[in-house]
Amino acid sequence: MTVLKTNLADYPVTKAMKDGRVTSDLVTLDFCGPPQAHNGFKAMIREGAFDCGELAIVTLLQAKIYGKPWVALPIPVNGRFQHHCAGFNREFGHLDPKDIEGKRVGVRSYAQTTGLWIRGILQHEYGVDLDKVTWCKVGEGHLLEYTDPANVEQLPKGSDIGQMMLDGELAATLQGVDLPKDPRVQYLVPEPFEAAKDWYAREGVVCINHMFVVHERLSREQPEVVREIFRMLVESRELTEGGVPAVYPPIGLEANRKGIQLAIDWAYEQKIIPRKVEVDELFDDVTAALGA
């Protein structure tokens, strides 16, 4: 029995794996990562603290660029529309998306996946010139080799970007579910949930947040274990209580190709990666065939 240190958070689609309804005779997944998986990404990439688990798609792209030994499985474990992930305090005046040009906007880190998606939406759907915004970050990126663009400002340690937005120190923030639960907060994208539906009708893409990855050594030396992990992920998804949401990232390389390509294109445009990678570079012969 192979035991693998695994960084995987609790999601409806992974619950059956974590509560013991989905098991394996080949592999035991030791769910030893932090409750919020993103808090384990740095240790995963820099220290090899885990054998497998979820990884933000932006971190995966950077890992591939900088030669880190991780291989994706073609199954997102987390994804959503991102149009609602930017907010501002209406008490300081109304903001349309382009109004953030020339202003300071808070982000957890510049290379955060939520930031990638909502910035791309602001640029491509609303004409925002991202280079004219000062992006004020609290955290650092997951890879030592990565350097933020020149228009990124490091905030003092311990800064609360949500509170800074409420206080008027920041014009807006990109925070996703962490937007302050305050009646003064208004979405930067007008009617974001309707806008997301319209976007999906045109693009057919649900923004991927996290993919499942394995160390390349595991895929090379124990491909049967990698296939078994994929089976468990698929079976756990099938056992999602209430069913998988109708709009959710799909399974399989080809089904996800457009969404991954969009992440690559936008990451390059936003100077998060120094060159474009090919979608197929993120997979190997073992994982590319999964779900086909």
Side-chain angles (χ1 to χ4, degrees):
M1 175 72 74
T2 299
V3 179
L4 300 175
K5 292 179 291 183
T6 307
N7 182 36
L8 186 66
D10 293 328
Y11 305 110
V13 295
T14 62
K15 186 177 180 182
M17 292 175 68
K18 302 196 74 176
D19 67 15
R21 283 178 288 156
V22 174
T23 59
S24 170
D25 295 331
L26 289 180
V27 59
T28 295
L29 301 178
D30 175 13
F31 298 109
C32 55
Q36 291 186 307
H38 68 79
N39 289 327
F41 292 166
K42 190 184 299 181
M44 189 174 190
I45 294 297
R46 297 188 185 186
E47 304 161 21
F50 305 100
D51 301 301
C52 63
E54 63 183 287
L55 194 64
I57 192 165
V58 167
T59 307
L60 173 61
L61 296 178
Q62 292 183 328
K64 179 56 62 175
I65 289 279
Y66 296 114
K68 308 303 178 182
W70 298 96
V71 179
L73 276 61
I75 182 165
V77 296
N78 191 3
R80 65 180 178 196
F81 294 129
Q82 308 279 355
H83 293 66
H84 64 289
C85 294
F88 65 93
N89 184 348
R90 72 182 85 203
E91 285 194 347
F92 293 105
H94 179 76
L95 287 180
D96 288 318
K98 276 187 72 65
D99 293 335
I100 65 171
E101 294 178 4
K103 294 183 172 63
R104 301 167 75 232
V105 175
V107 292
R108 189 176 78 211
S109 70
Y110 182 75
Q112 181 189 8
T113 300
T114 293
L116 168 84
W117 288 119
I118 184 61
R119 279 193 303 266
I121 289 163
L122 291 170
Q123 176 185 350
H124 290 278
E125 298 287 297
Y126 299 93
V128 177
D129 186 338
L130 302 179
D131 292 335
K132 292 182 178 178
V133 181
T134 298
W135 305 101
C136 300
K137 68 168 190 172
V138 178
E140 60 179 347
H142 298 130
L143 282 90
L144 284 169
E145 296 89 340
Y146 168 70
T147 302
D148 289 316
N151 60 323
V152 176
E153 173 189 325
Q154 177 70 57
L155 294 172
K157 188 175 181 180
S159 294
D160 182 336
I161 59 173
Q163 190 60 50
M164 291 176 72
M165 176 262 286
L166 290 176
D167 293 342
E169 297 175 58
L170 298 171
T173 54
L174 314 183
Q175 288 186 271
V177 296
D178 298 322
L179 274 173
K181 307 299 187 288
D182 187 294
R184 295 172 292 173
V185 175
Q186 184 170 326
Y187 294 122
L188 182 62
V189 170
E191 303 293 337
F193 301 103
E194 289 302 314
K197 290 178 184 178
D198 293 342
W199 188 72
Y200 182 66
R202 282 184 281 119
E203 301 294 335
V205 169
V206 179
C207 302
I208 298 167
N209 276 30
H210 300 170
M211 302 285 289
F212 198 93
V213 302
V214 298
H215 196 284
E216 64 180 19
R217 180 184 63 251
L218 183 68
S219 191
R220 183 175 63 250
E221 298 176 359
Q222 294 181 277
E224 71 284 355
V225 169
V226 174
R227 295 186 189 102
E228 182 73 345
I229 294 171
F230 183 77
R231 177 197 66 78
M232 296 169 72
L233 287 161
V234 172
E235 189 173 326
S236 183
R237 184 187 277 224
E238 291 171 349
L239 292 173
T240 300
E241 295 172 5
V244 177
V247 179
Y248 199 81
I251 296 172
L253 174 52
E254 292 310 318
N256 282 288
R257 183 175 292 277
K258 185 175 181 181
I260 296 171
Q261 185 64 59
L262 194 60
I264 292 169
D265 292 344
W266 287 5
Y268 177 70
E269 289 175 358
Q270 296 176 32
K271 306 178 183 68
I272 291 172
I273 54 176
R275 65 173 176 85
K276 290 187 182 183
V277 300
E278 298 294 330
V279 172
D280 297 287
E281 288 183 66
L282 304 176
F283 305 86
D284 63 11
D285 291 345
V286 173
T287 65
L290 296 171

